[in-house]
Amino acid sequence: MVRYYIIVEGRVQDVGFRYFCQMNATNLNLTGWVRNMDNGMVEMEVQGDEKILLKFISIISKGNYFIRIDSVSKKEINLVPSETKFKIK
C-alpha cells in the first residue's frame, strides 16, 4: 500500500478532469482526493496498491477528448489509514 501526491498540468480545469479522476479511482478501489489549484493545475493524493496506482496514473495521463495532460509529477507520501473513499475537494 502506497500514497502518492500528484500534480497534473495541462488542460485539466473546466473539462471534468476531477470527476474523471474520481470515477477511475473509485472503479479501481483507490482512496484519496483531488482539487483544482489556483495556477490552473490539479493536485491530488491517491492511495492503494502500487500496481493499481500506476494503472490509475496511466489512465488519467491519457485524458480524453476534452482533457489534455502535459505533465504528471508524483511523490510518495505517508499513508492515511482511516480513509475510505476518493473525493473531490
Side-chain angles (χ1 to χ4, degrees):
M1 182 86 86
V2 295
R3 184 178 188 90
Y4 286 134
Y5 173 72
I6 301 169
I7 294 182
V8 183
E9 191 173 354
R11 189 173 60 223
V12 290
Q13 290 194 13
D14 301 321
V15 291
F17 181 67
R18 291 174 299 154
Y19 297 96
F20 181 69
C21 290
Q22 183 184 42
M23 177 189 71
N24 284 289
T26 300
N27 288 344
L28 294 170
N29 295 315
L30 300 172
T31 63
W33 55 265
V34 61
R35 69 177 167 204
N36 287 339
M37 299 173 73
D38 292 338
N39 62 6
M41 294 186 238
V42 170
E43 67 179 345
M44 67 186 88
E45 291 186 8
V46 189
Q47 180 170 297
D49 178 78
E50 185 169 22
K51 191 175 181 180
I52 295 172
L53 260 171
L54 295 175
K55 180 177 180 178
F56 169 78
I57 293 169
S58 175
I59 291 168
I60 66 164
S61 294
K62 291 177 181 141
N64 64 21
Y65 181 76
F66 302 103
I67 299 163
R68 185 194 74 244
I69 306 303
D70 294 334
S71 71
V72 177
S73 61
K74 68 177 173 48
K75 71 175 183 176
E76 192 170 332
I77 58 175
N78 293 331
L79 295 173
V80 178
S82 61
E83 199 169 60
T84 59
K85 65 181 184 173
F86 191 92
K87 61 184 175 183
I88 296 172
K89 288 188 172 184

